[in-house]
Amino acid sequence: MNLENRLKELREQHKYTQDDVAGFLNISRQSVSKWELGKGYPDIDNLRRLSDLYKISLDQLITGEEKYNIQVASHSNESDHKTVGDFLWRHWWLVFPVFGMLSTWFYYYY
């Protein structure tokens, strides 16, 4: 599906008029009409605003399909660090400040 048909389809799905879309983008209704007739194309700023208006990605707006489906991290009870060893393996550098603080403490108090 080409961009002009996609723009018209999305506008009609959301029950917006050309005036509504033009008002949201701060442009003229004639510009929206030109886009839907294929006589012109929106610039990148207006494409971004259109994707915000229709709550879809730019990729979905332009091509009609989502090519890169990114999984959103969910909050679960599972931790990235399964064991103490895994934690220490990833954060080995913490050993130096901890030993530095302990040695300073022992030096002043013993």
Side-chain angles (χ1 to χ4, degrees), residues 83-94:
T83 64
V84 173
D86 289 339
F87 176 80
L88 291 175
W89 181 256
R90 291 183 184 174
H91 302 290
W92 60 269
W93 53 271
L94 288 174

Side-chain angles (χ1 to χ4, degrees), residues 9-48:
E9 178 187 299
L10 285 167
R11 180 178 58 79
E12 290 173 346
Q13 280 178 0
H14 288 83
K15 298 183 180 15
Y16 292 138
T17 64
Q18 288 181 345
D19 285 325
D20 294 335
V21 175
F24 181 78
L25 299 175
N26 294 323
I27 59 172
S28 67
R29 184 199 57 78
Q30 288 81 6
S31 295
V32 176
S33 178
K34 284 181 184 178
W35 299 342
E36 291 180 359
L37 293 173
K39 295 182 179 179
Y41 294 99
D43 62 10
I44 191 66
D45 289 328
N46 284 325
L47 284 171
R48 186 185 53 78

Side-chain angles (χ1 to χ4, degrees), residues 73-83 86 90:
S74 63
H75 300 288
S76 65
N77 292 336
E78 291 185 35
S79 173
D80 289 341
H81 311 294
K82 304 280 188 242
T83 64
D86 289 339
R90 291 183 184 174

Side-chain angles (χ1 to χ4, degrees), residues 7 24-25 35 42-59 61-62:
L7 291 172
F24 181 78
L25 299 175
W35 299 342
D43 62 10
I44 191 66
D45 289 328
N46 284 325
L47 284 171
R48 186 185 53 78
R49 289 183 194 140
L50 285 167
S51 72
D52 289 344
L53 176 65
Y54 299 131
K55 296 181 180 23
I56 58 174
S57 68
L58 277 172
D59 195 42
L61 178 65
I62 295 169

